[in-house]
Amino acid sequence: MRPLDPRLLRHAQSTKRFLVMTVVIGVLTAAMVIVQAFVLARIIVAGFQQEASLASQRGPILVLAAVVIARAVLAWATEAAGHASSAQAKSELRSAVLAHSVRLGPVWLAGTRSGELTTLCTRGVDALDGYYARYLPQLVLAIIVPVSVIIAIATQDLLSAVLVAVTLPLIPLFMALIGRFTRRQVDRQWSSLSALSGHFLDVVAGLPTLKAFGRAKSQTTSIAQVGDEYRRTTMGVLRVSFLSSLVLELLAMLSVAVIAVAIGLRLVNGSLLLTAGLTVLLLAPEAYLPIRLVGQYFHAAAEGVGAAERMLTVLETPLPMTGLRLDIPDLRSTEIVVANVTVGYPDRPTPALHDQSLVIGPGLVTAIAGDNGAGKSTLMALLMGFVAPVAGGVDLRHPDGSTVCLADLDPDAWRSQVAYLPQSPYLGAGSVADAVRLGSPAATDGDVRRALAAAGLDLADADVLRTLPAGLDTLVGEGGVGLSAGQVRRVALARTLCRDAPLVLLDEPTSALDGTTERVVVEAVAALRRAGRTVVVVAHRPALLLAADVVILLEPIGPAEPADDGDPEVDALALGANAASAAPWTERA
């Protein structure tokens, strides 16, 4: 990563105002440094060479005191502004990463370890505090102060100014060489931390399963190994940081020593005045100090710089849909045409969908069937706009024959017309009513109860009330803790049914449900059709396939995988083996 990456400034707009303020403070600081050196040199020369009394030096001493106080105030202002800017910049970056991750959609999130993303948005963003609060301000000072000091030195002694100008670039040169090695170390450190965070979160999430199979303790060794790798890489970064500080200090010390020797020799032979020599000696260390601090603060912010690379990778990941049109056609009378679509994923050698074409009729229940790996969930993600096809497209065809390309529509406007139940629904912490109202925030308690009843959780049923004792106010933990897998799915289905959208996408809504609840769900799907809503349902089980108006069979590109439930009756229906019932409504895609 570059020392000053404009991408970080672009994603954190508040830092631009701060950098302008830092430039002003830098100019004032350089002026105070120069004034302090000139005044102090004259006070010393007057006291030791001219034997001036303290009373006669009252004016210069007051000026010196004012300059020292001014430098302290400027240093405080730099620090305060840096921390204020850092807090705002971190907030902007964290919000930008989270917002962009959400816009990238669940397909992208499914391929990203949640532990790594969590660490990136917490520890990673916080690690940028040193970058914004200290490194950036010091970088500005490292440009302004040395140039100003060299000019001031040149007014007193041209040879010393040349020596400073020649030796000064050695420090950033060595900083660059050390920085290249540091970057590799920091990348290893951040990779180890990400792996440790992700693995630990996965272990905690799967702890009940590990405990049930007696494998909980076996993970102790794995976590210890990853933690030990993180410890070693962290110590490696610290070693490099300490050694680089030593090298930079040594370079600055030797450079000042060379200048001091040259001044001393000329003071002895009388070719240089004592006032000029003292002024140069006082100014020379000030020329090297800002650049040394840049190296020091850069190493202090190294972890944040490493995390910033990952943040920028997330922020620069292209969004799947970029349309701007807000004129969504009436989906109750519009066909959805999937034409020669191919969808692939970077981590898969073959596309999930290849040259697939199908038509989803308005007001009908269209069932999508097929073996695992045939692309059923990918098709649902395509209709939601979570993935973009590499070939072909999805069009909305009006009754008059005109079409609108789905990719041209604004993603938020399109999704406002869609109710979606994913294959693995998620419930956040809160009450059952809160979980259902995510689908329709304006829903009344009556609407929520009807949606739950349609999903097989009728609160008037005594058996349901035993599992949900507080009714709508029953609290649910993060991820649906407190509910069974089937109840989580039914609450998520109720959330989908509560949303009054003309297009309803259901990815295996009867998964993990018993036969009685399955019949309730099938009736809910039939009710959606009677209401004139278009329903697309991914189905394996016979009840949903038989309730559909159209069944579209997707065929996998590679070798077929076993069906999720291994039900031979489902395979027979999906393949159209029962010609008497299947032939009228089975379509091969």
Side-chain angles (χ1 to χ4, degrees):
M1 182 172 172
R2 290 165 283 182
L4 181 60
D5 198 320
R7 294 176 297 172
L8 278 178
L9 303 182
R10 185 171 64 250
H11 291 293
Q13 296 291 331
S14 61
T15 55
K16 295 181 180 179
R17 297 191 301 272
F18 167 68
L19 284 178
V20 173
M21 185 187 307
T22 304
V23 170
V24 175
I25 294 176
V27 171
L28 295 176
T29 300
M32 293 300 104
V33 167
I34 295 170
V35 171
Q36 176 180 296
F38 274 89
V39 173
L40 186 57
R42 278 161 176 71
I43 292 174
I44 294 174
V45 171
F48 287 92
Q49 195 173 54
Q50 302 171 6
E51 297 183 355
S53 65
L54 189 61
S56 64
Q57 295 297 310
R58 181 178 300 172
I61 291 174
L62 290 176
V63 172
L64 180 62
V67 169
V68 171
I69 294 173
R71 287 192 65 178
V73 171
L74 289 173
W76 171 84
T78 302
E79 190 85 3
H83 284 293
S85 174
S86 173
Q88 189 170 348
K90 289 189 299 181
S91 177
E92 291 177 10
L93 270 176
R94 185 177 285 113
S95 299
V97 171
L98 291 174
H100 196 78
S101 299
V102 171
R103 286 197 294 270
L104 286 171
V107 174
W108 180 86
L109 287 170
T112 303
R113 297 188 71 172
S114 56
E116 294 182 12
L117 188 60
T118 301
T119 304
L120 187 66
C121 292
T122 52
R123 171 72 179 271
V125 174
D126 288 337
L128 280 170
D129 190 55
Y131 183 84
Y132 284 111
R134 296 183 180 275
Y135 175 71
L136 285 184
Q138 194 59 47
L139 194 62
V140 175
L141 292 176
I143 297 172
I144 297 174
V145 174
V147 173
S148 304
V149 168
I150 290 175
I151 294 174
I153 290 176
T155 62
Q156 303 299 305
D157 180 27
L158 187 58
L159 177 60
S160 297
V162 172
L163 289 174
V164 173
V166 170
T167 57
L168 197 63
L170 294 177
I171 296 180
L173 175 62
F174 276 86
M175 282 173 53
L177 295 176
I178 296 170
R180 294 182 62 183
F181 180 72
T182 303
R183 178 176 178 177
R184 292 196 296 270
Q185 293 289 99
V186 170
D187 286 344
R188 284 185 57 199
Q189 181 198 27
W190 183 254
S191 297
S192 300
L193 177 61
S194 298
L196 177 61
S197 303
H199 185 66
F200 184 75
L201 184 62
D202 291 343
V203 169
V204 171
L207 199 55
T209 303
L210 292 171
K211 189 70 175 177
F213 288 93
R215 301 291 297 170
K217 291 185 178 180
S218 65
Q219 293 297 319
T220 305
T221 303
S222 177
I223 292 177
Q225 289 175 346
V226 179
D228 192 55
E229 174 64 21
Y230 177 61
R231 178 188 60 79
R232 288 196 298 269
T233 55
T234 300
M235 293 305 297
V237 171
L238 291 175
R239 281 195 297 270
V240 173
S241 178
F242 293 148
L243 289 174
S244 64
S245 297
L246 175 62
V247 171
L248 297 181
E249 290 288 346
L250 183 62
L251 281 173
M253 182 181 66
L254 292 176
S255 300
V256 173
V258 169
I259 295 170
V261 170
I263 290 175
L265 291 175
R266 283 179 294 153
L267 285 174
V268 170
N269 63 26
S271 60
L272 183 67
L273 296 176
L274 179 59
T275 303
L278 277 175
T279 303
V280 171
L281 284 176
L282 291 170
L283 284 174
E286 298 286 355
Y288 297 97
L289 178 61
I291 299 181
R292 283 162 41 208
L293 291 177
V294 165
Q296 178 182 328
Y297 291 152
F298 181 78
H299 285 291
E303 183 181 357
V305 172
E309 288 282 9
R310 307 296 178 94
M311 294 179 211
L312 293 171
T313 300
V314 173
L315 291 171
E316 293 174 357
T317 302
L319 298 173
M321 291 182 67
T322 56
L324 298 175
R325 293 185 60 173
L326 300 175
D327 53 329
I328 310 297
D330 185 2
L331 297 180
R332 298 177 189 270
S333 59
T334 302
E335 288 183 331
I336 301 175
V337 181
V338 179
N340 306 112
V341 162
T342 297
V343 178
Y345 297 103
D347 57 342
R348 297 187 188 178
T350 57
L353 288 173
H354 178 66
D355 198 28
Q356 292 282 8
S357 297
L358 54 96
V359 177
I360 298 170
L364 300 178
V365 176
T366 302
I368 308 297
D371 291 321
N372 283 357
K376 302 183 296 297
S377 293
T378 298
L379 176 62
M380 303 295 268
L382 177 69
L383 294 177
M384 283 296 295
F386 293 148
V387 295
V390 296
V394 180
D395 295 325
L396 307 179
R397 186 160 60 197
H398 295 262
D400 61 5
S402 61
T403 61
V404 176
C405 182
L406 180 61
D408 295 335
L409 299 178
D410 177 78
D412 292 333
W414 164 250
R415 291 168 192 156
S416 68
Q417 302 297 308
V418 183
Y420 175 52
L421 175 69
Q423 191 174 38
S424 300
Y426 182 82
L427 299 183
S431 68
V432 170
D434 293 335
V436 175
R437 282 198 178 94
L438 280 176
S440 179
T444 64
D445 285 350
D447 295 331
V448 173
R449 290 178 182 276
R450 283 188 290 273
L452 286 169
L457 284 175
D458 190 348
L459 295 179
D461 190 328
D463 292 334
V464 174
L465 280 178
R466 274 196 292 270
T467 57
L468 302 176
L472 296 180
D473 297 325
T474 302
L475 294 180
V476 179
E478 191 75 19
V481 174
L483 300 179
S484 67
Q487 288 173 327
V488 169
R489 192 151 195 87
R490 279 178 278 177
V491 171
L493 177 60
R495 178 171 63 196
T496 306
L497 297 176
C498 190
R499 185 176 178 83
D500 185 19
L503 175 62
V504 181
L505 306 180
L506 306 175
D507 196 342
E508 300 191 32
T510 58
S511 175
L513 301 183
D514 56 37
T516 302
T517 308
E518 181 184 49
R519 287 191 292 273
V520 175
V521 173
V522 171
E523 174 55 32
V525 171
L528 291 173
R529 176 178 52 193
R530 290 194 296 270
R533 297 161 76 176
T534 302
V535 181
V536 182
V537 55
V538 172
H540 279 306
R541 297 167 70 165
L544 274 175
L545 293 172
L546 291 169
D549 298 298
V550 178
V551 174
I552 297 175
L553 176 65
L554 297 184
E555 296 180 346
I557 297 182
E561 301 177 12
D564 288 342
D565 48 15
D567 191 340
E569 185 180 3
V570 176
D571 296 336
L573 282 170
L575 295 174
N578 186 351
S581 60
W585 43 264
T586 299
E587 175 183 339
R588 186 177 297 273

